[in-house]
Amino acid sequence: MKFLEQFPEYIEFRERESGRRKPRETTTEVSKRTPEEILEDACEEIRDGLAQELLGMVKQSTPSFFERLVVELLVKMGYGGSRRDAARAVGQVGDEGIDGIIHEDRLGLDTIYIQAKKWDNVVGRPEIQKFVGALMGKRAKKGIFITTSSFSADAVNYVSSIDAKIVLIDGKRLAELMIDYDVGVTPVTNYQFKRIDSDYFGNG
């Protein structure tokens, strides 16, 4: 831990997240691990805390803000062509359980139907069935269902048993994707690790 405590960001995180952390490891346990392993675990712990905090802020946002967030995330993931096109597609008032349509790629070769729900309750199979039925009505086979809550086991099993390709994104995965694609977060510090270049010394 002495290695990590030289980084102010890590100290700040430990103080802020002290109530949610696992019990401190003993000195013996820590000494058996390399600095890289300790730092990797610390980064994972920081990421988990950030994801929880991020999801909490998303749940407190307005429906219109959540809609803009979904657009921003999908565009950064490579969907929709441009942000303007994606906003126009997803921002339309849907019908039959569809909130919008977005291009699968920048050329618009295929479309994906979107359902976004800022919920606290678990999304069950009936909601997914309604969405799948809407897709069938459009002769579509691809859809993304995004929620700030979670999906029931029955809903997940149902999606895996049908022909249509439905991707379920729950609140936890939503927060992780936002972190991965820098939506609602900003990088603070980057650390670069280096190793000996064996090829360089091997030529001597």
Side-chain angles (χ1 to χ4, degrees):
M1 290 305 167
K2 290 182 179 179
F3 171 78
L4 292 174
E5 287 171 357
Q6 65 181 301
F7 304 116
E9 295 83 0
Y10 182 68
I11 295 176
E12 179 182 353
F13 169 77
R14 290 183 67 88
E15 292 175 350
R16 180 164 52 88
E17 299 294 320
S18 58
R20 293 187 294 190
R21 288 177 53 253
K22 296 180 290 186
R24 177 187 289 270
E25 295 174 293
T26 64
T27 303
T28 303
E29 291 173 334
V30 173
S31 63
K32 293 180 180 179
R33 300 161 62 197
T34 66
E36 289 81 2
E37 290 174 336
I38 295 174
L39 187 58
E40 182 178 349
D41 288 344
C43 288
E44 184 177 347
E45 187 176 349
I46 292 173
R47 179 185 170 92
D48 289 343
L50 175 61
Q52 293 179 27
E53 185 177 355
L54 189 60
L55 181 58
M57 296 189 69
V58 172
K59 287 182 176 181
Q60 295 174 12
S61 66
T62 63
S64 60
F65 181 89
F66 182 57
E67 183 178 277
R68 293 195 301 271
L69 185 155
V70 169
V71 169
E72 184 73 24
L73 177 60
L74 291 174
V75 170
K76 287 201 172 185
M77 292 177 66
Y79 297 99
S82 68
R83 194 180 190 286
R84 179 185 301 175
D85 293 339
R88 182 167 60 248
V90 180
Q92 295 173 346
V93 177
D95 64 295
E96 300 178 340
I98 294 177
D99 287 336
I101 306 170
I102 195 168
H103 294 310
E104 183 176 12
D105 52 63
R106 293 183 179 275
L107 297 178
L109 296 176
D110 204 353
T111 56
I112 297 177
Y113 287 79
I114 309 297
Q115 176 73 56
K117 287 191 178 295
K118 194 171 76 69
W119 275 15
D120 289 324
N121 298 326
V122 175
V123 178
R125 176 169 174 166
E127 288 296 326
I128 306 301
Q129 286 179 313
K130 180 180 178 182
F131 181 51
V132 172
L135 292 184
M136 294 178 63
K138 302 292 184 180
R139 295 184 178 181
K141 291 187 176 182
K142 295 180 180 179
I144 302 175
F145 199 114
I146 303 174
T147 182
T148 51
S149 59
S150 60
F151 297 97
S152 68
D154 196 25
V156 174
N157 292 334
Y158 170 70
V159 166
S160 64
S161 65
I162 60 178
D163 292 333
K165 179 62 176 178
I166 307 297
V167 175
L168 303 180
I169 300 178
D170 60 13
K172 182 176 183 297
R173 189 178 179 192
L174 173 63
E176 291 174 348
L177 289 172
M178 290 175 65
I179 294 173
D180 291 339
Y181 290 92
D182 290 333
V183 176
V185 298
T186 183
V188 177
T189 306
N190 290 322
Y191 299 106
Q192 185 180 57
F193 292 91
K194 300 183 180 182
R195 61 175 175 79
I196 297 295
D197 185 350
S198 301
D199 292 336
Y200 175 82
F201 289 98
N203 294 328

